[in-house]
Amino acid sequence: MNKKYFLSFALSALMLAACTQQEQPSLPTPASAVSAPVAVNVEEKVLNIYNWPDYVPEGMLAAFEKETGIKVNYDTFETNEALHAKLVAGNTGYDIVVPGSVFAKPQIEGGLMQPLDKANIKNLSNLDPAIMITLVKADPGNNYLVPWAWSFTTVGWNKTKAQKALGNMPMPENAWDLVFKPEYTSKLKSCGIAYLDSPTEIIPAALHYIGKDAYSHNPADYKLAADMLGKVRQDVRIFSATMIDDLAGGKACVAIGWAGDINIAANRAKDNKSNDEIEALLPSTGALIFFDTMAITKDAKHPKNAHKFIEFYLRPENAALMTNTMRYPTANKAAIDQLKPDIASNKSIIVETNYFSKMIPPSSFTNEARAALASAYNSFKKGK
Ligand code: N2P
């Protein structure tokens, strides 16, 4: 995020605040005070949430509505970039949004979020301290963010279809080769290669593949990533936000995606009685961890309801339901013993310690890196 942008954002936010102030009704006179309803602390029974698709267990929102009488409006976005653009434009109308921590950092710094009233969220202590410490990089003091789920960006494949397309070629030692090495992509294009359509997903993976820091501060590294990607561009036909359908529906046989969604696709294929085996792979050089975090927007109209929802979500049984049904690991330590055996034993959902230590933790981009990243991705996608 460039500084000028934030400055102008901050200025318009100030102006907006000034307007809002003017529009507020003046204090009631003693006469009108008699009949004025006590509206001070009462929030309308509404909560507006903006989250990623395929992330909330069926029935969870209805259970919250039933218990609290608060009506939940739930919308979805497909990339961090899309959410970020909305937040920067302002007046989203959303109370809770769920950015990845890489984006949450500049959003907090830019004044787009409000600090949590932690004393009013009693289940916060259920969160895994080890995860909360890693989030301090994005959110010093853990004052703004509560993890919804975490997972990692990796390579997913339809093993059955991909192996057929590869013919005699053995599986590479490093699964990233399947999506980044022309020897493999030139074969796999026949059954479909899908990339997430998000610069901040693809470029860090590409940087990592060429042996650079996935969140490099050096613009020259981004150029190298674009050069590498340019060699496989012609083989990549699907830029997608619908990885689950692409893999489960047979449109793609290999994809750069999120382990959770790839596992949902695997499960869906089974439900559809397909004989194809879909898997989230664990590349030998590591995959890229992400944390998706709930935050309350600066201009949320229903911050109290938002706190109630966060507290509700942090109940162990709700966090466990998310992991058991959506196949994304929870950061709720108190939920771990409620995981179903097939989830707990799936190594691409609950990653083993020795693989975990190989994975790349999320970081953040400098403004300069952000610009280099955007231009690397655009030139890659355009094929120039
Ligand atoms: C979608 C989950 C989003 C994960 N099912 C990527 N942040």
Side-chain angles (χ1 to χ4, degrees), residues 52-55 201 258 261 290 292 328:
W52 303 76
D54 303 293
Y55 231 9
E201 299 280 358
W258 307 303
D261 277 21
F290 61 81
D292 288 332
Y328 278 87

Side-chain angles (χ1 to χ4, degrees), residues 51-55 77-78 80 98-100 151 153 201 244 258 260-261 264 290-292 326 328:
N51 200 349
W52 303 76
D54 303 293
Y55 231 9
F77 59 87
E78 287 164 346
N80 268 310
V98 191
S151 180
T153 302
E201 299 280 358
I244 301 175
W258 307 303
D261 277 21
I264 296 178
F290 61 81
F291 295 99
D292 288 332
M326 307 319 298
Y328 278 87

Side-chain angles (χ1 to χ4, degrees), residues 133-151:
I133 284 175
T134 66
L135 283 178
V136 162
K137 269 203 270 172
D139 172 20
N142 293 131
N143 289 328
Y144 290 82
L145 307 177
V146 171
W148 177 271
W150 66 276
S151 180

Side-chain angles (χ1 to χ4, degrees), residues 89-108:
N91 286 320
T92 61
Y94 295 113
D95 301 300
I96 294 181
V97 293
V98 191
S101 66
V102 174
F103 276 74
K105 184 182 193 304
Q107 288 160 1
I108 292 169

Side-chain angles (χ1 to χ4, degrees), residues 16-39:
L16 203 70
C19 294
T20 327
Q21 214 119 53
Q22 277 163 17
E23 278 161 22
Q24 267 168 14
S26 51
L27 285 173
T29 60
S32 65
V34 181
S35 56
V38 252

